[in-house]
Amino acid sequence: MGYWLFKSEPGCFSFQDLQSRPNATEHWDGVRNFQARNFLRDEIKPGDRVLFYHSSIPEPAVVGLCTVVREGYPDHTALDPNADHFDPKATPDKPIWYMVDVRADQALPAEVPLAVIREHPLLTGMPLVNRSRLSIQPITEEQYTTILQLGGLP
């Protein structure tokens, strides 16, 4: 099982938006960074656990827990000229961009702010602390369970 942190701006797509989808499940589209794309295409698998992180807000924080329910497949929004994430270089035969499906499992009882993550000795090695712009980030099981504990879960 893998562990990941997925970032989203709550004004675009929040954890509450995910919870409101049928079966609390939605595709994670619009990723346009090659390193993050490679994670989506090659490494993220069904059953992997995801921390949902609200970014680009005054107090960014981990707010919820998700599970990957479908492995990487071509991101159809790259092919749609009316979509926000259209890429004219993408084709059905050479899609370039990928997405996975995630299911919201539960909101954390207490959000875990970036400021707390930065100061915690077990979390200082997280990509979030060191390469904060990447929207899909691998994390360790220890980092995952530490954030669960900080968020009020056993």
Side-chain angles (χ1 to χ4, degrees):
M1 179 184 321
Y3 298 90
W4 304 90
L5 182 137
F6 285 17
K7 294 168 60 176
S8 183
E9 296 178 14
C12 295
F13 189 74
S14 70
F15 186 72
Q16 292 76 18
D17 293 331
L18 178 57
Q19 289 177 305
S20 72
R21 295 298 196 265
N23 300 315
T25 302
E26 184 63 277
H27 51 267
W28 197 273
D29 65 16
V31 174
R32 298 296 181 264
N33 170 283
F34 285 102
Q35 184 177 8
R37 184 273 319 260
N38 293 347
F39 290 143
L40 291 167
R41 185 188 64 197
D42 303 330
E43 296 187 38
I44 298 172
K45 302 296 178 200
D48 284 1
R49 307 292 294 156
V50 174
L51 299 175
F52 194 114
Y53 180 84
H54 280 168
S55 64
S56 299
I57 55 175
E59 191 169 21
V62 175
V63 298
L65 307 177
C66 305
T67 300
V68 176
V69 295
R70 182 176 177 190
E71 67 185 11
Y73 60 101
D75 182 342
H76 59 82
T77 67
L79 304 174
D80 180 357
N82 297 315
D84 291 338
H85 305 292
F86 173 64
D87 183 343
K89 295 177 188 165
T91 68
D93 292 333
K94 295 182 183 172
I96 303 173
W97 306 111
Y98 283 74
M99 59 188 176
V100 298
D101 290 356
V102 295
R103 181 189 65 234
D105 294 328
Q106 72 178 102
L108 288 177
E111 294 182 359
V112 183
L114 177 58
V116 170
I117 293 169
R118 280 189 175 135
E119 297 301 320
H120 196 286
L122 295 177
L123 302 177
T124 57
M126 288 181 70
L128 181 65
V129 174
N130 301 306
R131 291 188 313 251
S132 64
R133 294 189 54 81
L134 193 59
S135 64
I136 305 288
Q137 304 176 0
I139 60 174
T140 67
E141 182 177 7
E142 180 181 50
Q143 292 163 343
Y144 180 83
T145 57
T146 300
I147 288 180
L148 293 187
Q149 292 167 355
L150 292 170
L153 295 175

